[in-house]
Coordinates of all heavy atoms in Angstrom, one line a residue:
N674 N 67.9 96.7 0.2 CA 69.2 97.3 -0.4 C 68.9 97.7 -1.9 O 67.8 97.3 -2.4 CB 70.3 96.2 -0.4 CG 70.3 95.2 -1.5 OD1 69.2 94.8 -1.9 ND2 71.4 94.8 -1.9
D675 N 69.8 98.4 -2.5 CA 69.6 98.8 -3.9 C 70.9 99.2 -4.4 O 71.9 99.6 -3.6 CB 68.6 99.9 -4.0 CG 68.1 100.1 -5.4 OD1 68.2 99.1 -6.2 OD2 67.6 101.2 -5.7
V676 N 71.1 99.2 -5.7 CA 72.3 99.7 -6.4 C 71.8 100.4 -7.7 O 70.9 99.9 -8.4 CB 73.3 98.6 -6.6 CG1 72.7 97.5 -7.5 CG2 74.6 99.1 -7.2
H677 N 72.5 101.5 -8.0 CA 72.2 102.1 -9.3 C 73.6 102.6 -9.9 O 74.5 102.9 -9.2 CB 71.3 103.3 -9.2 CG 69.8 102.9 -9.1 ND1 69.0 102.8 -10.3 CD2 69.0 102.6 -8.1 CE1 67.8 102.4 -9.9 NE2 67.8 102.3 -8.6
V699 N 71.5 106.4 -12.7 CA 70.6 106.0 -13.8 C 69.5 105.1 -13.3 O 69.8 104.1 -12.6 CB 71.5 105.3 -14.9 CG1 70.6 104.8 -16.1 CG2 72.6 106.1 -15.4
G700 N 68.3 105.3 -13.7 CA 67.2 104.5 -13.3 C 65.9 104.9 -14.0 O 65.9 106.0 -14.6
S702 N 63.1 105.7 -12.4 CA 62.7 106.8 -11.6 C 63.9 107.8 -11.4 O 64.8 107.8 -12.2 CB 62.2 106.3 -10.2 OG 63.3 105.8 -9.5
A704 N 66.1 107.3 -9.4 CA 67.2 106.4 -9.0 C 67.8 106.6 -7.7 O 69.0 106.4 -7.4 CB 68.2 106.3 -10.1
D705 N 67.0 107.1 -6.7 CA 67.4 107.4 -5.4 C 67.6 106.1 -4.6 O 66.7 105.5 -4.1 CB 66.4 108.3 -4.7 CG 66.9 108.7 -3.3 OD1 67.6 108.0 -2.6 OD2 66.4 109.8 -2.9
V706 N 68.8 105.5 -4.6 CA 69.1 104.2 -4.1 C 68.7 104.1 -2.6 O 68.2 103.1 -2.1 CB 70.6 103.8 -4.1 CG1 70.9 103.2 -5.5 CG2 71.5 104.8 -3.7
H709 N 64.9 103.9 -2.2 CA 64.5 102.6 -2.7 C 64.8 101.5 -1.7 O 64.0 100.6 -1.5 CB 65.2 102.3 -4.1 CG 64.7 103.2 -5.2 ND1 65.1 103.0 -6.5 CD2 63.9 104.2 -5.2 CE1 64.6 103.9 -7.2 NE2 63.8 104.7 -6.5
A710 N 66.0 101.6 -1.1 CA 66.3 100.6 0.0 C 65.4 100.7 1.2 O 64.9 99.7 1.8 CB 67.8 100.7 0.4
I724 N 59.6 96.6 -3.9 CA 59.4 97.9 -4.6 C 59.1 97.6 -6.1 O 58.3 98.3 -6.7 CB 60.6 98.8 -4.5 CG1 60.4 100.2 -5.0 CG2 61.9 98.2 -5.2 CD1 61.4 101.2 -4.7
S740 N 61.3 109.7 -6.0 CA 61.1 108.6 -5.1 C 60.5 108.9 -3.8 O 59.9 108.0 -3.1 CB 62.5 107.9 -4.9 OG 62.9 107.3 -6.1
Ligands
MG1487 MG1 66.3 101.3 -7.3

Side-chain angles (χ1 to χ4, degrees):
N674 84 326
D675 198 20
V676 60
H677 280 271
V699 179
S702 65
D705 186 330
V706 279
H709 291 183
I724 190 171
S740 294

